[in-house]
């Protein structure tokens, strides 16, 4: 049984990349990675994109992690989703990550990916 958490996985990669994120930063990036890759089977975001996200957030102060993480997702992950058939599902999963600013993410999703998250409930 592999007891490693997504946080541990991100920290291992970070070590290889020479990045030193805090545990909360590693955890948040791990959640984003999981959300992106679990949303649809045939479309996985590789480590290179995650390295960019991690570098971005570790360059900024930790007290505004939510904002910087959301900006990094918009800058690095959204371009990977252009033209992806089920991108709305991925954006929904990302919006559900608790360190993501949903409104900011949704506005960018509408503009960049023509995806709207409004539900008809």
């Amino acid at each position: 049984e592999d007891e490693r958490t997504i946080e541990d996985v991100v920290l291992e990669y970070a070590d290889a990349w020479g990045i030193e994120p805090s545990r909360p930063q590693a955890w948040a990036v791990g959640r984003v990675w999981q959300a992106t890759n679990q949303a649809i089977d045939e479309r996985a975001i590789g480590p290179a994109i995650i390295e960019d996200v991690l570098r971005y957030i570790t360059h900024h102060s930790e007290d505004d992690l939510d904002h910087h993480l959301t900006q990094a997702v918009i800058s690095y992950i959204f371009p990977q989703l252009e033209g992806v058939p089920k991108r709305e599902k991925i954006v929904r999963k990302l919006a559900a990550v608790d360190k993501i600013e949903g409104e900011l993410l949704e506005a960018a999703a509408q503009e960049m990916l023509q995806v709207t998250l409004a539900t008809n409930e």
Side-chain angles (χ1 to χ4, degrees), residues 1 3 10-13 15 19 23 37 45 48 56 59 67 70 76-78 82 84 92 99 105 110-111 113 117 120:
E1 183 69 21
E3 292 297 316
V10 171
L11 287 168
E12 278 178 28
Y13 273 107
D15 194 46
I19 307 173
R23 291 195 77 85
N37 287 348
I45 296 291
Y56 183 93
H59 278 274
H67 183 72
T70 305
Y76 299 110
I77 295 180
F78 276 14
E82 286 173 7
V84 175
R92 279 184 193 280
K99 281 285 169 197
L105 193 80
Q110 284 179 331
E111 189 181 319
L113 303 173
L117 300 187
N120 303 324

Side-chain angles (χ1 to χ4, degrees), residues 38-110:
Q38 286 172 353
I40 52 173
D41 299 332
E42 63 271 24
R43 181 81 184 186
I45 296 291
I49 302 294
I50 297 306
E51 179 179 359
D52 289 336
V53 170
L54 202 56
R55 281 195 193 283
Y56 183 93
I57 66 166
T58 55
H59 278 274
H60 293 84
S61 77
E62 210 170 329
D63 48 64
D64 207 2
L65 176 58
D66 296 25
H67 183 72
H68 297 309
L69 181 65
T70 305
Q71 289 290 5
V73 167
I74 292 164
S75 299
Y76 299 110
I77 295 180
F78 276 14
Q80 305 297 314
L81 303 180
E82 286 173 7
V84 175
K86 298 180 190 169
R87 61 190 181 277
E88 183 178 334
K89 193 173 173 190
I90 302 176
V91 174
R92 279 184 193 280
K93 286 263 192 197
L94 286 166
V97 172
D98 52 9
K99 281 285 169 197
I100 289 289
E101 293 182 353
E103 285 179 18
L104 181 60
L105 193 80
E106 186 172 355
Q110 284 179 331

